Every structure is written in C-alpha cells, then in structure tokens.
Amino acid sequence: QVHLVESGGGLVQAGASLILSCAASDRTSSNYHMGWFRQAPGKEREFVAAITWKGGTVYYADSVKGRFTISRGSAPNTVYLQMNSLKPEDTAVYYCAAAQFGELTVAGEYDYWGQGTQVTVSS
C-alpha cells in the first residue's frame, strides 16, 4: 500500500505561479510512474500531467502544455507540478497518483491516489 500526500495548493490571482508537491509516505521498493489529475466542481476528473518512474518521459494535457511542468524529486516516488501563468479555469482539486503500469493519461490506470489539494485562481 502506498500513501500519497500532496501539498502546495492555495488561492492565487490569475497569472501567478504555484508548486504542488507529492510524496509517498511509506517506504517502498517499487518505483512508480506518477501523475497529476484535477477535478473542478461539477466536472469529471481530468488528466493534467504524468512522468515515468525514471523521469525520462513526460505527458501533458493540451490545456496546460507550456505552462505546467512535472518533475521528479530526489527521494523515491516524489513528484512536483510547477504551475505558471495560472488561469481561473485551472481552479480545481489537484490529485497526485501513482501507477506501476498502463496508460498514464488515464485515471483508471493508477493504483494509488492522494487526498487532493485545492487550487483556486481568482480573476
């Protein structure tokens, strides 16, 4: 069992930046691909970004490409999401997730999820 803990959400104005962090709180010998998803009120959870366990390949949703950057930390199974030029439409609860296999843009492929962190962007 992997327990993921996110941090870094908050309330910011449009155009600002935020960094979200996610770490696995349990010691694990497995290496996971990591992803970020988000869910706005009344909408389905959507893919934001993902990174393979070695960090060699990254994926982004078109809506965040060029503004968000996903990266891995030095500790095992840690991941960051640098969010620049934030827009009101980026407002959502952001979830970190871990997967051993599968299509990393698909929520159903992930094995473990964090509790989510709220990001609110005011206009």
Side-chain angles (χ1 to χ4, degrees):
Q1 184 74 19
V2 175
H3 183 53
L4 301 174
V5 179
E6 302 114 330
S7 60
L11 170 63
V12 296
Q13 290 189 328
S17 298
L18 277 176
I19 301 176
L20 303 184
S21 302
C22 173
S25 61
D26 307 292
R27 284 186 175 272
T28 174
S29 60
S30 299
N31 292 300
Y32 290 87
H33 308 304
M34 306 290 287
W36 289 96
F37 289 76
R38 66 187 181 187
Q39 188 166 19
K43 295 187 177 181
E44 292 189 355
R45 190 170 297 190
E46 65 173 0
F47 169 74
V48 175
I51 187 167
T52 54
W53 76 270
K54 283 188 174 181
T57 304
V58 295
Y59 306 88
Y60 295 101
D62 288 343
S63 59
V64 306
K65 204 170 290 183
R67 299 188 298 122
F68 291 11
T69 303
I70 189 170
S71 61
R72 298 200 73 109
S74 56
N77 297 320
T78 60
V79 66
Y80 303 99
L81 186 68
Q82 172 74 50
M83 304 186 295
N84 297 329
S85 303
L86 283 162
K87 304 176 181 180
E89 50 264 43
D90 294 318
T91 295
V93 177
Y94 283 70
Y95 297 91
C96 172
Q100 285 193 293
F101 310 103
E103 172 54 60
L104 298 185
T105 64
V106 177
E109 298 287 277
Y110 286 79
D111 305 298
Y112 303 102
W113 291 84
Q115 80 288 352
T117 185
Q118 177 71 46
V119 172
T120 303
V121 185
S122 63
S123 57

